[in-house]
Amino acid sequence: MAQAFIERFGLAGRRALVTGASKGIGLEICRVLADAGADVAAVARDAAGLAEARARVEAQGRQCLVIEADMGTVEGPRAAARAALDAWGGIDILVNNAGIAVVASLLETTPEQWDLVQAVNLRAPFLLAQALAPGMIERGRGKIVNVSSQTSNIALVDHGAYAASKNGLNALTKVMTAEWARFNVQSNAVCPTVILTPMGEQVWGDPARGDPMKAKIPAGRFGKPIEVADLVLFLASSASDMITGETIYIDGGFTAM
């Protein structure tokens, strides 16, 4: 029984590419996927953070390919995909986790800020999937997990560019399913509430701002990176093969209210 469980939920022999891998949720996803048996290509701009990702993956006895790339450019995602394919020949699991937020009202958001948020949060996942999905289709197996946000489904003051990008990511996830599910490639989006990462602390760490948001969460707290990483692990495993095209909220009940 234990072996069957491991085969359903384990990732032995799989190779994953994780963006935004140098900190927060992405760093935890790298560790959790490696703990389940996957080798990990960790993608980010921060060399020091990538060194930490490598240490965490290798501590689990898995290989870690470190790739420095800027998801805000067109060439960054494409170069990251090429580096992974050149090194390993194929990627079984793509986790589009890299994301940025500009906290500004719609009247104050500049076109440059808007474009950068869309580039990192929405264009980069498209470009990476466009580069890596053909190999998944050819092998007849693949997993794409897009890290979205509860903000994709609610109106949040001062988060217009971010909310638009994440809503677009949810829609992109559904189109990925419409086009690729027949090839046994599953695509899903996970939508966390506030997670206490460095970015989460920056935006919500002030009690004056954070406490009113926390009060809207029935669970009474913000989330932890491990909780998102465990959901990503499930969606990356064979146990979730019949789940595709979904936007799955991990929000302590926020969107239920």
Side-chain angles (χ1 to χ4, degrees):
M1 182 178 297
Q3 184 58 38
F5 176 86
I6 291 171
E7 288 176 1
R8 293 198 309 275
F9 289 90
L11 302 179
R14 309 288 175 86
R15 285 169 169 165
L17 186 147
V18 181
T19 66
S22 62
K23 59 187 177 182
I25 293 172
L27 186 60
E28 191 68 2
I29 289 171
C30 289
R31 186 191 66 79
V32 167
L33 296 186
D35 190 35
D39 296 325
V40 179
V43 181
R45 293 181 301 170
D46 176 17
L50 285 173
E52 174 65 18
R54 170 177 278 168
R56 294 196 185 192
V57 170
E58 291 181 347
Q60 306 302 321
R62 308 311 309 165
Q63 296 181 41
C64 185
L65 178 65
V66 166
I67 303 171
E68 290 188 45
D70 183 354
M71 295 295 103
T73 68
V74 171
E75 180 56 23
R78 289 175 171 170
R82 283 197 304 270
L85 293 175
D86 287 347
W88 286 343
I91 292 294
D92 305 293
I93 301 159
L94 168 61
V95 182
N96 285 308
N97 168 73
I100 60 171
V102 171
V103 181
S105 72
L106 290 174
L107 295 180
E108 295 171 334
T109 301
T110 67
E112 293 77 17
Q113 290 172 324
W114 180 275
D115 287 347
L116 180 59
V117 172
Q118 308 313 311
V120 174
N121 295 2
L122 183 55
R123 187 179 67 192
F126 156 68
L127 291 172
L128 281 161
Q130 188 179 57
L132 298 176
M136 297 178 183
I137 292 168
E138 182 178 352
R139 292 188 299 277
R141 184 185 73 188
K143 299 281 188 174
I144 299 173
V145 183
N146 296 317
V147 179
S148 183
S149 168
Q150 71 177 17
T151 311
S152 66
N153 193 41
I154 61 172
L156 187 62
V157 172
D158 294 340
H159 283 71
Y162 183 78
S165 71
K166 294 302 189 178
N167 191 281
L169 186 59
N170 293 356
L172 178 64
T173 302
K174 293 182 180 296
V175 177
M176 289 176 177
T177 288
E179 296 191 3
W180 301 334
R182 64 184 180 273
F183 302 110
N184 195 32
V185 176
Q186 291 85 43
S187 307
N188 292 287
V190 300
C191 300
T193 186
V194 175
I195 304 296
L196 291 180
T197 64
M199 187 170 76
E201 289 281 7
Q202 179 181 354
V203 177
W204 300 105
D206 181 358
R209 186 177 182 85
D211 287 353
M213 173 62 78
K214 194 181 299 182
K216 297 177 181 179
I217 301 174
R221 65 176 178 86
F222 293 144
K224 304 172 186 175
I226 184 65
E227 293 171 316
V228 181
D230 281 346
L231 178 55
V232 171
L233 170 60
F234 169 65
L235 293 173
S237 74
S238 298
S240 64
D241 281 354
M242 196 57 179
I243 301 173
T244 189
E246 297 297 328
T247 53
I248 303 172
Y249 290 86
I250 178 167
D251 65 358
F254 185 102
T255 53
M257 304 300 288

